[in-house]
Amino acid sequence: MVDIGHVEKDARVASGNSPYRRLRHHLTVISHEPVMFIGIALAVVFLLLILAPVISILVNVAIVQIGDAARTRAPEGAFTLYYVTRAFASRMSSILLWQPMLNTASIAIGSIILSMSVGGVLAWLVNRTELPGRRWFATALIIPFMLPTWTLALAWTTIFKNRTVGGQPGWLETLGFSTPDWLAYGRLPMIIILSLHYAPFVILILGSALQRLDAQLEDSARILGASRRRVAFQIVLPLMRPALLSCGLLILADCIGEFAVPYVLGLPVGFDTLSTSLYRAISTRQTGMAAVMAAVIMAIGVVTLYIDTRMMREARRFAIIGGKGAMDRRRPLGRWQMPATIFTLAFFTVGVVIPLLTLFLSTIMRVPGRFSPENFTFDYWIGANLDTVALRNGILMTPQFWSAGLNTLVIIGVASLASGVLGLLVGYVVIRSPFAALGNFLRQITFLPYLVPGIAFAAAILTLFAVPRGPLPALYGTSIILILALIADQMPFASRSGIAAMAQLGKEPEEAARIAGAGWWRRMLSIVMPIQKRALASAILLPFISGIKGVSLFIILAVPATDVLTTYSLRLVDYNYTQAANAVVLMIALLALFGTILINRLTGNGIAKGLES
């Protein structure tokens, strides 16, 4: 709102035809209510950070890249269909695209089926039955989703690794059990690990739908003589269909861009997915093919999430919330109580206890899998003069570890702070802007990175900023490119948080301050920010935790000088320094876990909220 006194005065000043007077009027209005100015500035920033990289990756699909002039028989920068033809219809297309796409599809489908089967049962047990320890399980079962996926992958290789890949053997190999390749690497372990990671996601989404389901619908069906099987398949399951489809589609979209698990369990044995194929193309400087791979991943992600959006619109037709008589009745398990409890405990043990315990034990063993007392040591944490070539001291005594930790705090911290502030400003413009078009544009463009898997978005950022662009120098190899990529990648969550927070803030506090003579900046710093400090803290912490766990952006954009903890640990994996790598991963997992708990405490929205009796 513009101060009335100033508006009337400036209106009189602008009543003349002088361009100077009109300009002065507009500048005065902007100085008091710069919502439009801030909105336009944000739009320009996001056009550069979000839309321009996506457009650049699509443009690179159809132009000759540096070094490919002889191969394409066209000058650099000319239009070409060479990369598209090579990817889709050449003798190499099976290796370059179709087989990785088939591998990705099989992993995604397997993960969807397994995670939804396990997660669906657990969601039912926690939300609709008298499961012993139900409230504790409501939180404990979500922990695998808080941990980075490659925590589980590294724990798996620590146990099942065989001699197909060099380096230290796995525990089973040391104990005399030779694990087959299909169990140690490739499709099966990827499906199991991703299912353990996504099952908690199913518990959250499906559990929320089950909480809203009126138990009287089931009671009415039973009164009319319907069996429990008929109630489950003809009443409950159809009403849960939107939530189930949404879970499946979102898991599919995430699996398409998943990089860390295929990197650990597939890349060493040549089992490629779309994300690792993109990584190979970038690593070998095949820019054109990398653009095609990124475009394919983006297209699949966009289509999948578009279908999910349409399904959510359809879901509004399903009325599963009762009126005043709505009830959330939980049923006793009877003779199934012990099997259900064992099943739930088994999931928690396999998804949380075994991976974290395996990683910790591996960091204090000289020889993997040997459990004799003399084999245990803390040298890989605090030792000196180790008998390894490149890692002479324990992790906590290694400068590279502390450098990566400092980079993590600085790069991810700056990006998270910027994302939180920008998200709140986006929310302010969307809610307060007098021009709906500007608010809608900001709402849509800040959501765009959510439609693009991380590995593809990293490739797009690299394509745009790896070379000088006008006044901008080449940013590859600097911390700036990582910060910019993280800001853009986290804007879907930061902007939605800001919009939700500002939608709950009425205009009355600002109106009162405006009447008292406070300008816009004073109102923002003294009223809006303090009132929204909890939302702002969440909008900063959530990107920070996500950044700590993230791999896709960093593996493409980071160099040794800008290593963060994730890339530093993966470099240790590449060097087969298993104990040191697992030590770093364990610390990242604990940071992510404690950070998530901190967010829940800060917001007051614990995971188990709403499950109390």
Side-chain angles (χ1 to χ4, degrees):
M1 297 292 297
V2 182
D3 185 84
I4 297 174
H6 283 90
V7 170
E8 291 176 350
K9 179 180 177 181
D10 290 325
R12 289 193 299 269
V13 172
S15 60
N17 295 324
S18 171
Y20 171 76
R21 291 182 177 180
R22 289 197 299 270
L23 177 61
R24 182 181 174 185
H25 164 69
H26 292 308
L27 291 177
T28 303
V29 173
I30 288 176
S31 68
H32 285 81
E33 296 296 328
V35 176
M36 284 295 297
F37 175 77
I38 293 174
I40 293 171
L42 288 173
V44 172
V45 169
F46 294 135
L47 281 171
L48 179 63
L49 283 186
I50 296 175
L51 190 60
V54 174
I55 292 175
S56 70
I57 203 75
L58 297 177
V59 169
N60 281 348
V61 170
I63 64 172
V64 178
Q65 302 298 311
I66 298 174
D68 290 339
R71 190 178 303 170
T72 59
R73 298 178 181 177
E76 293 178 6
F79 175 80
T80 182
L81 293 177
Y82 170 80
Y83 304 115
V84 175
T85 304
R86 180 174 170 79
F88 285 92
S90 71
R91 290 179 298 174
M92 295 294 294
S93 60
S94 175
I95 298 174
L96 294 173
L97 180 64
W98 298 117
Q99 189 59 50
M101 185 181 291
L102 181 62
N103 292 340
T104 303
S106 64
I107 292 169
I109 293 171
S111 300
I112 290 170
I113 293 173
L114 185 56
S115 64
M116 291 184 67
S117 299
V118 174
V121 172
L122 292 173
W124 176 267
L125 290 174
V126 169
N127 289 275
R128 300 307 298 270
T129 71
E130 294 293 345
L131 179 73
R134 183 179 59 84
R135 289 183 229 176
W136 182 83
F137 279 125
T139 297
L141 295 178
I142 311 303
I143 292 178
F145 193 62
M146 303 178 191
L147 300 176
T149 54
W150 42 288
T151 302
L152 304 175
L154 289 177
W156 185 279
T157 60
T158 299
I159 298 173
F160 294 102
K161 183 180 179 182
N162 60 23
R163 298 191 181 276
T164 300
V165 177
Q168 295 178 339
W171 286 4
L172 292 180
E173 189 83 22
T174 302
L175 294 173
F177 301 96
S178 180
T179 54
D181 285 350
W182 59 267
L183 181 61
Y185 310 100
R187 183 178 287 106
L188 179 63
M190 289 186 198
I191 290 175
I192 293 174
I193 287 168
L194 290 175
S195 298
L196 287 172
H197 180 71
Y198 291 125
F201 177 73
V202 178
I203 296 173
L204 288 172
I205 300 297
L206 189 58
S208 177
L210 286 169
Q211 288 180 51
R212 299 195 306 269
L213 178 64
D214 188 354
Q216 291 186 107
L217 297 174
E218 302 168 68
D219 294 341
S220 300
R222 290 199 180 96
I223 291 173
L224 295 173
S227 64
R228 291 197 174 190
R229 180 184 180 89
R230 187 172 184 181
V231 170
F233 284 94
Q234 295 189 11
I235 296 178
V236 177
L237 191 60
L239 291 174
M240 293 298 103
R241 187 173 65 188
L244 290 171
L245 289 174
S246 181
C247 285
L249 288 168
L250 291 173
I251 292 171
L252 173 62
D254 208 46
C255 281
I256 297 299
E258 172 60 36
F259 174 78
V261 173
Y263 181 88
V264 174
L265 293 173
L267 204 61
V269 293
F271 184 89
D272 277 333
T273 61
L274 286 174
S275 60
T276 54
S277 293
L278 172 58
Y279 176 74
R280 284 183 187 274
I282 293 174
S283 300
T284 54
R285 300 184 183 278
Q286 299 181 56
T287 308
M289 292 307 303
V292 174
M293 297 292 177
V296 170
I297 295 174
M298 284 192 290
I300 296 175
V302 169
V303 170
T304 302
L305 290 169
Y306 172 75
I307 295 173
D308 178 66
T309 302
R310 292 295 299 271
M311 289 304 305
M312 286 300 96
R313 291 176 183 172
E314 283 293 311
R316 296 193 182 103
R317 298 168 54 191
F318 289 74
I320 65 175
I321 303 176
K324 294 182 179 179
M327 300 180 67
D328 181 13
R329 186 181 298 116
R330 300 182 185 90
R331 305 189 181 282
L333 288 168
R335 61 190 178 91
W336 291 100
Q337 178 171 304
M338 184 59 68
T341 305
I342 292 174
F343 175 72
T344 309
L345 276 173
F347 178 83
F348 177 75
T349 302
V350 173
V352 180
V353 177
I354 291 178
L356 295 182
L357 184 61
T358 298
L359 289 178
F360 174 71
L361 289 177
S362 70
T363 66
I364 59 174
M365 287 183 176
R366 289 190 176 91
V367 178
R370 186 178 296 174
F371 293 90
S372 56
E374 64 275 5
N375 188 48
F376 290 100
T377 178
F378 282 95
D379 284 351
Y380 296 104
W381 287 95
I382 56 175
N385 299 319
L386 304 181
D387 57 355
T388 52
V389 176
L391 191 70
R392 301 298 299 168
N393 301 309
I395 284 298
L396 298 180
M397 309 297 290
T398 302
Q400 289 86 348
F401 168 76
W402 293 107
S403 176
L406 181 60
N407 285 342
T408 300
L409 292 176
V410 173
I411 294 172
I412 300 178
V414 170
S416 301
L417 180 61
S419 297
V421 173
L422 289 173
L424 195 62
L425 289 175
V426 168
Y428 190 89
V429 174
V430 169
I431 300 301
R432 297 285 195 264
S433 174
F435 293 96
L438 179 60
N440 290 334
F441 176 78
L442 288 176
R443 188 192 297 267
Q444 299 302 325
I445 195 170
T446 53
F447 186 71
L448 182 59
Y450 188 73
L451 304 178
V452 182
I455 189 76
F457 192 74
I461 290 285
L462 181 64
T463 299
L464 184 65
F465 294 112
V467 297
R469 301 283 183 181
L472 290 177
L475 299 179
Y476 181 63
T478 69
S479 299
I480 296 175
I481 193 172
L482 293 171
I483 293 172
L484 294 177
L486 276 171
I487 291 173
D489 186 62
Q490 296 300 327
M491 280 315 299
F493 308 102
S495 63
R496 273 8 182 215
S497 176
I499 292 170
M502 291 306 305
Q504 296 174 358
L505 178 63
K507 295 182 179 181
E508 290 80 7
E510 286 189 86
E511 284 288 327
R514 181 191 61 77
I515 293 173
W520 185 87
W521 291 104
R522 177 71 180 274
R523 298 200 302 269
M524 281 294 293
L525 296 176
S526 301
I527 297 177
V528 176
M529 290 292 186
I531 291 177
Q532 300 292 4
K533 61 184 179 182
R534 179 169 289 186
L536 180 60
S538 298
I540 293 171
L541 281 173
L542 189 59
F544 186 80
I545 301 306
S546 179
I548 286 177
K549 298 191 300 180
V551 174
S552 301
L553 287 175
F554 293 116
I555 198 67
I556 297 295
L557 299 174
V559 297
T562 57
D563 261 341
V564 292
L565 288 176
T566 51
T567 54
Y568 179 64
S569 64
L570 289 179
R571 294 188 200 281
L572 291 173
V573 170
D574 292 338
Y575 297 148
N576 287 311
Y577 293 152
T578 305
Q579 293 96 330
N582 288 353
V584 178
V585 170
L586 184 62
M587 296 183 71
I588 295 171
L590 293 177
L591 280 173
L593 179 59
F594 289 136
T596 306
I597 294 173
L598 177 62
I599 292 175
N600 288 334
R601 291 286 182 87
L602 184 68
T603 59
N605 293 324
I607 296 172
K609 185 178 181 181
L611 293 178
E612 291 81 1
S613 300

